[in-house]
């Protein structure tokens, strides 16, 4: 099992011992990761406007052929982020909120002034957020489920959902479901696509996916944030909470570049960028959907004068990098009017802007004769290069965490010779885990 | 014959033939008839602008191109980064030979200012100052000095001399696009650009650089454009289609784009035939206030909007724009007039092919290529899901408008919400598949086999149908006006001729008839006096009281809404609030604060509802009641007249009776013209008042230094919730009353004009019978009578489009 262990797993498994030996290390590690207790992973928060193509990009980053993340995320009313970390055997874990969340929905539906609550109730009871049933029906169904009983007057077609809900809400129930891929990966993926959250999405509190991807092995965790720009206030606060203290953001934009809403969502992270710290935060901007621009440009050229797809892609990509850089500068100046010029230039210089073609990447590897890729080489999609960027970041991050640990243990050993052999053993384990 | 020709013929007949005759023999008839023909001469607005609204990059332009021009690109799609904040208009051209575009250019001083700012910045960055009398140095020519100063401030603060500020960077990019044809360069050759700009403005060079051949062509074209101020390009014998499209591209997004003020394109697209004009607006959500301003301005006056969305449906940014411009409210505010133009919202979801492709390709990978369904199956499934999603989102957005509000307003709104949702059109299309199919590019094959599969033709058809329905409505209205004018004039002529024919009646009958008529008329006169008195009283004081009362009730509702809105600020950061207060109530930051606009919005709807649902309804009911009283009273005279046998000819009274009936029908729609601009005036006048008040209060608050020191947030929140709310209410209520009163006075005047045509119908009816006898002497001149009757007969014969035997109360023969 040790072979699939990551530094993070090791760190967690030795938590009690390390707390006693080197209590100061928790603080040091957390200033590197931006995470709370004993989590060494580098969280890369994936942010973008709704429908911009975040999930396509994440899929292409994770693997060459498969659809791991469903587009649109886990159910229409999920307000939480999806964490994707390394695991040899893929798994999906969903944790659900308890009765208090249902109570909140019930109260808002009864109050009649929150259309979104009505949609959530509709999803829970009827499996559709814009269903036909009157709110009294939804309320009665939910109230019975909260008491652990199935409402006798509930429609036949809703009974299945309501009994699942009643079971889930029963006291002393572990509200977490985990499914492992095991031998049947296609079945697992199908489950992930269709039944991952479904009608329960309004009460989903956390989604975690384990996946065997090379970019995740150095301890990288992708955190897919809810899309920006579709009405939902709870998304917004969850997003800005997550971005405060983030060490790495992967921003996904299309040809419009940085839009106002996305820039506003990023403000807490920008503030981090201007704060001097041990591990300065990293912003990576991935520009996607470039093929739409390419299509339009090619349409304007006639017959033989039409340039190749790849040439167009390259020239559009170059323009987009400059556009995004200019927009970033303008937005930073607007949000931080008092920042000095060289400070600003410094922050902008460190931003990595990477145009990519995730859809072409998948096409190329799927080798479907009915859906030929427009690129001939894997590198042309620039997805491998973006993977490299993320992997390098994660490796550098892991190296500094490791160094922090080793140094803390060294210091401890020189203070107190008693633990010499145990510390040497721990340090050797760190070496193996990395 | 179309209604326009028909109307022209009728107007010709009136001015050339009928009016002269009436002026001579019955001038008292003209004040009633002239306005009918004046109204006929007014041209109806034939065009209906359709605003395409959507987030930047969603593919508005691609959709417009697909709808209008198939595989051609008229409006710039595939641009990287938006450049100009202008709207492009596409109008109908009857044939390919009429394809053209017209560009109006900005005044040369705008470019001059760019040059000025860039030269100053460059001099500073190379450490050279401008000698005050240097020949050829340009001066800023306009009031845009603030812009220029802004551009120059940043480099001064900079520790790195010569680093361009954002403004300068923007100018450089504009200059680069104009001179080199592309806005992005790794390094700018600033002296080269400066000299090139100078050449565009016909100024002597200062930086000793030479233009390349390619750049020289662009520079010459810019210089030409700046001198011409306006240019039209057409497809013709010299200009091929490809050249035309390139020229258009140069204007819309190419090197000429930075100096464009307006751009209009004419194209032979069936979808535009009925007078639709497509307006390609700057994308929503771009971090640029100028874009938002241009877009909001269009939406504020729009009657039809196509909202373009992607697979996630309606975005916050678009919904916010539709809400804050009042467009959503206008959809809910159903006008009581059946023929007033209803606002239209169509939602078009694009980029669905991307989702369909991802599903399709994913399934083929997962289950094997044989087992997966064909592409079209996935596309249809996505489209079906989108229909539900968008309808749900739209319902949500409308319901957000309902939050709060009194029960009365809520009920009115809920009533129409259902109607609006039922008529809301949602279209799911794939513009890019459609265009791929038409382009037949081997490197990018379309997934669809038939154009219809993309559903673009269906959307085009739906828009076309909207245009046609509107055209038909306009036609019906125009025809109603024509037949109204025709019938009323014929009736007037009939009455006059009948009077002359009566001239043969013997004089001795007159006196006896008079006394009999007096007996008949006495109770009728009394009745009429009472009814008219009541109505005058209603107009003079009841309506004014109603206005006051209803406005105060509406204001109470508005105040609750305002309180709710202002309460929201409690959750805002103090610095946002302070910035807003310091800027007179508006602040575009992380949170958008626009107090004057938001407060006005909360007033506007209750006030408009009060007018159209209560006051106008009342006013029309009472007006109609009086008009019907008139009809009924004259009806009594008519019954009497008909019972008199040969002694009295009832035709005159009958004609009057018909006339009053027509008037009564007409009066049910009184105030129709006033209703459409009431909303606009409520908006404008209230907004001015509210904005002024908010600014005054805010500035007083700031001058008294309450925005500083400990407890600022509490003070601001308190100030907004109490003082500002009270003072805005105090300012807005009289203004609202004023607007409604003014509006009422307009309708009142309209009513007065209508009734003044026949101020006393009883007297007129009695006179019609009696004066026939008294005039008999005057008209007994048989020769003159013959002449008038002959001429009148000729006039009636010449009446265009007269259908024999219709509505003529008096036989002409």
């Amino acid at each position: 099992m040790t072979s699939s262990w990551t530094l993070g797993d090791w760190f967690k498994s030795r938590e009690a011992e390390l707390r006693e030996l080197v209590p100061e290390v928790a603080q040091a590690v957390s200033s590197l990761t931006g995470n709370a207790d004993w989590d060494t992973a580098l969280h890369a928060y994936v942010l973008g406007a709704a429908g911009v193509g975040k999930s396509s990009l994440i899929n292409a980053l994770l693997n060459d052929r498969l659809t791991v993340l469903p587009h649109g995320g886990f159910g229409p009313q999920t307000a939480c982020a999806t964490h994707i970390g390394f695991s040899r055997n893929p798994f999906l874990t969903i944790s659900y909120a308890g009765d208090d969340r249902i109570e909140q929905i019930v109260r808002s539906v009864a109050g009649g002034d929150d259309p979104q609550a009505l949609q959530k109730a509709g999803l829970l009871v009827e499996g559709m957020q814009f269903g036909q049933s009157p709110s009294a029906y939804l309320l009665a169904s939910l109230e019975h489920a909260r008491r652990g009983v199935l409402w006798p007057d509930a429609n036949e077609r809703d009974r299945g959902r309501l009994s699942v809900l009643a079971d889930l809400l029963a006291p002393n129930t572990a509200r977490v479901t985990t499914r492992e891929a095991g031998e049947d990966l296609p079945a697992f993926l199908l489950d992930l696509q269709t039944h991952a959250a479904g009608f329960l999405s309004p009460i989903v509190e956390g989604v975690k996916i384990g996946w065997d991807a090379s970019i995740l092995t150095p301890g990288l965790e992708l955190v897919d944030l809810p899309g920006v720009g579709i009405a939902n206030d709870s998304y917004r606060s969850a997003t800005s909470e997550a971005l405060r203290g983030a060490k790495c953001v992967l921003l996904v934009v299309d040809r419009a570049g940085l839009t106002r809403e996305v820039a506003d969502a990023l403000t807490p992270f920008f503030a981090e960028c201007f704060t001097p710290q041990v591990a300065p935060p990293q912003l990576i901007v991935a520009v996607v959907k470039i093929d739409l621009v390419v299509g339009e440009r090619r349409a304007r050229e006639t017959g033989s004068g039409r340039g190749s797809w790849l040439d167009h892609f390259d020239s559009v990509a170059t323009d987009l990098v400059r556009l995004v850089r200019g927009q970033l500068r303008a937005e930073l100046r607007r949000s931080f009017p008092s920042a000095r010029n060289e400070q600003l230039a410094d922050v902008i210089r460190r931003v990595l802007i990477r145009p990519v073609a995730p859809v072409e990447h998948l096409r190329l590897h799927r080798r479907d004769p009915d859906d030929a890729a427009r690129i001939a080489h894997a590198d042309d999609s620039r997805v491998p290069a973006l993977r490299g960027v993320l992997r390098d970041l994660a490796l550098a991050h892991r190296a500094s965490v490791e160094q922090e640990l080793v140094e803390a243990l060294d210091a401890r050993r020189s203070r107190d010779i008693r633990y010499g052999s145990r510390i040497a053993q721990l340090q050797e384990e760190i070496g193996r885990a990395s | 014959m179309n209604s326009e020709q028909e109307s022209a013929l009728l107007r010709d007949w009136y001015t050339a033939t009928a009016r002269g005759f009436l002026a001579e023999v019955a001038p008292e008839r003209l004040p009633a008839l002239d306005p009918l023909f004046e109204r006929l001469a007014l041209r109806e607005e034939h065009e209906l602008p359709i605003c395409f609204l959507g987030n930047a990059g969603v593919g508005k332009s691609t959709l417009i191109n697909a709808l209008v021009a198939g595989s051609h690109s008229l409006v710039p799609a595939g641009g990287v980064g938006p450049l100009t904040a202008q709207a492009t208009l596409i109008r109908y051209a009857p044939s390919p030979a009429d394809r053209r575009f017209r560009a109006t250019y900005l005044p040369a001083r705008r470019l001059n200012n760019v040059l000025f700012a860039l030269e100053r910045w460059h001099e500073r960055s190379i450490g050279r100052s401008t000698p005050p009398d240097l020949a050829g140095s340009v001066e800023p020519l306009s009031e845009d000095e603030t812009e220029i100063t802004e551009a120059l401030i940043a480099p001064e603060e900079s520790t790195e001399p010569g680093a361009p500020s954002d403004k300068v960077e923007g100018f450089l990019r504009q200059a680069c696009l104009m001179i080199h044809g592309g806005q992005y360069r790794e390094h700018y050759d600033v002296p080269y650009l400066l000299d090139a700009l100078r050449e565009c403005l016909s100024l002597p060079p200062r930086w000793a650089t030479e233009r390349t051949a390619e750049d020289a062509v662009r520079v010459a074209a810019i210089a030409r454009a700046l001198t011409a101020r306006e240019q039209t390009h057409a497809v013709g014998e010299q200009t091929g289609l490809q050249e035309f499209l390139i020229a258009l591209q140069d204007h819309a997004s190419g090197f000429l784009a930075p100096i464009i003020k307006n751009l209009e394109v004419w194209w032979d697209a069936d979808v535009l035939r009925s007078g639709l004009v497509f307006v390609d607006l700057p994308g929503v959500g771009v971090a640029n206030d100028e874009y938002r301003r241009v877009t909001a301005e269009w939406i504020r006056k729009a009657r039809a909007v196509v909202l373009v969305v992607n697979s996630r449906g309606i975005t916050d940014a678009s919904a916010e724009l539709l809400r804050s411009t009042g467009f959503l409210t206008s959809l809910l505010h159903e006008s009581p007039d059946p023929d007033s133009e209803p606002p239209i919202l169509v939602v078009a979801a694009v980029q669905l092919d991307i989702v369909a492709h991802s599903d399709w390709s994913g399934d083929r990978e997962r289950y094997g290529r044989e087992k997966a369904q064909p592409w079209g199956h996935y596309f249809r499934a996505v489209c079906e899901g989108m229909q539900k999603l968008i309808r749900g989102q739209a319902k949500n957005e409308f319901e957000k408008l309902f939050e709060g509000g009194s029960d009365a307003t809520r009920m009115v709104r809920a009533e129409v919400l259902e109607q609006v949702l039922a008529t809301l059109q949602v279209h799911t299309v794939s513009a890019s598949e459609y265009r791929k199919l038409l382009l037949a590019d081997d490197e990018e094959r379309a997934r669809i086999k038939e154009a219809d599969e993309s559903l673009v033709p269906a959307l085009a058809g739906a828009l076309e149908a909207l245009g046609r329905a509107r055209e038909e409505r306009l036609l019906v209205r125009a025809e109603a006006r024509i037949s109204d004018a025709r019938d009323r004039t014929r009736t007037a002529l009939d009455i006059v001729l009948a009077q002359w024919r009566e001239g043969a009646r013997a004089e001795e009958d007159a006196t006896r008839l008079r006394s009999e008529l007096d007996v008949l008329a006495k109770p009728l006169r009394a009745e009429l006096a009472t009814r008219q008195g009541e109505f005058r009283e209603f107009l003079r004081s009841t309506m004014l009281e109603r206005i006051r009362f209803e406005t105060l009730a509406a204001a109470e509702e508005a105040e609750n809404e305002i309180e709710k809105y202002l309460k929201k600020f409690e959750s805002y950061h103090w610095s946002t609030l302070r910035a807003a207060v310091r800027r007179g109530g508006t602040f575009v930051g992380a949170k958008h604060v626009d107090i004057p606009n938001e407060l006005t919005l909360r007033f506007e709807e209750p006030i408009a509802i009060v007018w159209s649902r209560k006051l106008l309804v009342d006013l029309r009911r009472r007006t109609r009641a009086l008009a019907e009283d008139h009809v009924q009273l004259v009806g009594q005279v008519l019954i009497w007249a008909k019972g008199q046998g040969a002694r009295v000819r009832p035709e005159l009274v009958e004609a009057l009776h018909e006339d009053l009936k027509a008037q009564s029908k007409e009066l049910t729609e009184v105030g129709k013209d006033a209703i459409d601009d009431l909303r606009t005036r409520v908006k404008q006048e209230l907004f001015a008042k509210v904005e002024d008040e908010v600014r005054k209060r805010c500035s007083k608050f700031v001058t008294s230094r309450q925005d500083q020191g400990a407890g600022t947030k509490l003070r601001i929140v308190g100030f907004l919730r109490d003082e500002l709310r009270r003072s805005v209410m105090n300012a807005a209520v009289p203004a609202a009353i004023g607007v409604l009163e003014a509006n009422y006075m307009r309708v009142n005047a309209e009513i007065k004009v209508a009734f003044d045509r026949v101020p006393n119908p009883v007297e007129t009816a009695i006179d019609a019978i009696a004066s026939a006898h008294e005039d008999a002497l005057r008209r007994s001149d048989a020769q003159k009578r013959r002449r008038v009757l002959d001429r009148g007969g000729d006039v009636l014969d010449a009446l265009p489009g007269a259908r024999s035997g219709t509505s003529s109360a008096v036989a002409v023969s």
Side-chain angles (χ1 to χ4, degrees), chain A residues 135-153:
Chain A
S135 55
Y137 172 80
L138 301 177
L139 280 176
S141 303
L142 289 180
E143 285 292 6
H144 280 82
R146 287 180 65 198
R147 278 182 266 129
V149 284
L150 189 59
W151 185 31
D153 292 347

Side-chain angles (χ1 to χ4, degrees), chain B residues 213-241:
Chain B
E214 282 184 343
D215 292 350
V217 174
R218 277 186 285 268
V219 166
I222 292 171
R224 255 197 323 276
L226 289 174
T227 325
R229 299 300 299 275
E230 186 185 302
Q231 285 180 353
T232 300
H233 294 249
V235 184
E237 274 159 29
Q238 291 96 9
T239 327
L241 181 62

